[in-house]
Every structure is written in structure tokens, then in C-alpha cells.
Amino acid sequence: MMSATSTLALTHFVTLADTFDKDKVTPGVLGFIVFAVIGGAVWLLMKSMNKHMKKVDFEEQPQGGEAGGTASAVAPEPKTG
């Protein structure tokens, strides 16, 4: 069962829905704020990623066809004497 206050509230919402222009829908201020926060977060993440990528020291290993390629990967055995 619906009380009188809930019925009254629903009738006010229905009249607001009828006067709402369905052809003119905009995201409003809240949509802009959410979009700006997401954009700022992406900018901060990209800035952090660039800082971390500058720390990476990557040197490409030579191709397997070179003579000394596999010998450097094996550690020499310690000499006991």
C-alpha cells in the first residue's frame, strides 16, 4: 500500500518528467567534474609511467650467431687449490 506522502511525491516527479525536454539532454556539471577527474588521473598515471620508464636500463642482447654469445651466460667455476 502506498501512503499519501509517497503518492504526492510520485505525482510531483511525474509532472517534472513531463516538463523535461527529452531532446535536450546534457551531462551537466557533475558529468564535467567526473570527466575532469578521470582526465587528471590518466595524466598523473602517464607522468608516473614516464618517470619509471626512464629508470629502465635496457640493452638488447646480441643475436645467437655470434661466437661469445652463450659463453657469457655460463658462470665460471671457482678454482680450488
Side-chain angles (χ1 to χ4, degrees):
M1 292 201 160
M2 296 180 71
S3 67
T5 55
S6 62
T7 305
L8 184 62
L10 285 177
T11 57
H12 284 295
F13 285 132
V14 170
T15 57
L16 286 175
D18 288 338
T19 59
F20 183 71
D21 187 12
K22 294 175 182 152
D23 294 329
K24 187 178 179 183
V25 178
T26 62
V29 177
L30 180 63
F32 174 75
I33 292 171
V34 169
F35 187 76
V37 167
I38 291 172
V42 168
W43 181 74
L44 287 172
L45 285 171
M46 297 269 300
K47 188 175 176 181
S48 174
M49 182 189 69
N50 282 333
K51 184 172 72 172
H52 286 284
M53 290 300 285
K54 285 179 184 176
K55 292 180 182 178
V56 174
D57 185 27
F58 177 74
E59 291 184 16
E60 195 169 325
Q61 294 183 357
Q63 295 292 331
E66 293 186 22
T70 57
S72 63
V74 178
E77 295 181 16
K79 294 181 180 180
T80 58

